[in-house]
Amino acid sequence: MKDRAPIQIENTFASLSGAGLAVLGLTQPVAQLMRNVFEPVVIDSIIFKMSLEERTQAARITGVHLSQDHFEPGDTILVDVSVAPLLGATETFSLALKIPYYASNGRAILRVMAEKASRSQDAKRAPGAYQTKRLDDVIRLISSPGRNDVLVVELLSGTQTLTVAGQETGMLPESVVMALSQIRKSEVVQQVRQSLLGRTKKTTDYVLVGSQTVLLNIGGDGLTFTGKGTAGEQKR
């Protein structure tokens, strides 16, 4: 774009309509730029590179294993994620996610999914962070749509927090949340239903589908798996 740094977007797709999805992944951001209501955009050039493979590089997230079933603030959660390729044997990806020391005791949600799916969920959780007030916001969002081949593990708390000018504040005292929530005139401050305690990710060789969710009890015992899951030491 004229007078702007180049925008580079990369992603991987796998399906009978994979090529069409790849093209859509380019045309949609261009349309968002051209239709933005903040200022005119002049696009000097667009370079589109696409490579095709005959084999299907898709895999489903089928299970999750946690290193233990009791967690305290400051602990590190070791997560093994089972991924089943469409053609091939099941593989395991290991990730580590630290629970912040400031995390409150109580129920938390651990989610495992592809990065693109995580972004879609995040836009519902914290819509204020995805609102556009200027062209820079549009560019920021289309530059990081989330990849289909990146595995994400994230931990959410049921404690409410806020976004201020599009930035999530993290966990705040309830009195501060209530006070700031009264600022509505400019829509600068917006409530967030769940606060993000941590997020980690790992690039894979697969377009990932499916998800897994685990309900944790920080400061107490007990896990609830909504899919296939286990906890505790396991033989390698």
Side-chain angles (χ1 to χ4, degrees):
M1 292 190 301
K2 187 177 180 180
D3 301 325
R4 297 255 182 190
I7 299 174
Q8 184 172 340
I9 304 172
E10 297 182 8
N11 212 339
T12 304
F13 302 88
S15 70
L16 294 175
S17 56
L21 292 173
V23 173
L24 193 62
L26 170 69
T27 56
Q28 281 185 334
V30 172
Q32 288 177 279
L33 285 172
M34 300 301 295
R35 295 173 183 170
N36 90 86
V37 297
F38 307 109
E39 58 184 272
V41 171
V42 177
I43 298 179
D44 293 327
S45 64
I46 299 175
I47 300 175
F48 181 47
K49 296 181 181 180
M50 180 170 63
S51 60
L52 301 175
E53 296 185 7
E54 292 186 4
R55 59 178 181 169
T56 301
Q57 290 291 91
R60 178 170 293 278
I61 300 171
T62 57
V64 61
H65 174 86
L66 305 188
S67 56
Q68 57 202 68
D69 58 8
H70 180 94
F71 296 98
E72 297 285 344
D75 284 353
T76 297
I77 307 174
L78 302 179
V79 186
D80 290 337
V81 181
S82 299
V83 170
L86 191 61
L87 300 173
T90 297
E91 296 185 27
T92 299
F93 295 94
S94 299
L95 300 92
L97 183 63
K98 187 177 182 64
I99 303 174
Y101 287 101
Y102 59 77
S104 302
N105 287 342
R107 186 62 59 91
I109 303 172
L110 185 139
R111 300 194 304 200
V112 181
M113 62 186 69
E115 185 182 39
K116 186 171 181 61
S118 171
R119 292 292 172 85
S120 297
Q121 293 291 328
D122 210 45
K124 300 175 183 177
R125 181 188 68 85
Y130 291 82
Q131 288 186 344
T132 54
K133 301 293 185 181
R134 51 182 182 164
L135 179 58
D136 286 342
D137 294 333
V138 178
I139 294 174
R140 172 177 56 85
L141 292 176
I142 68 174
S143 299
S144 54
R147 292 181 61 97
N148 294 316
D149 58 352
V150 172
L151 181 65
V152 168
V153 175
E154 56 192 17
L155 186 65
L156 304 172
S157 167
T159 304
Q160 287 191 352
T161 184
L162 301 169
T163 54
V164 179
Q167 299 295 317
E168 191 169 346
T169 60
M171 297 181 68
L172 294 172
E174 185 176 352
S175 57
V176 175
V177 172
M178 293 181 63
L180 290 176
S181 297
Q182 304 305 313
I183 306 175
R184 294 294 184 185
K185 292 182 179 180
S186 62
E187 297 184 351
V188 171
V189 178
Q190 295 197 26
Q191 284 190 334
V192 177
R193 292 179 302 167
Q194 299 169 315
S195 58
L196 178 68
L197 296 178
R199 177 182 287 138
T200 186
K201 59 185 180 180
K202 176 173 286 190
T203 301
T204 73
D205 294 327
Y206 303 102
V207 173
L208 300 168
V209 297
S211 64
Q212 295 286 319
T213 303
V214 185
L215 303 182
L216 308 178
N217 186 18
I218 298 176
D221 295 323
L223 300 174
T224 302
F225 296 90
T226 60
K228 182 180 179 182
T230 56
E233 295 185 3
Q234 63 177 354
K235 295 181 179 180
R236 298 288 183 179

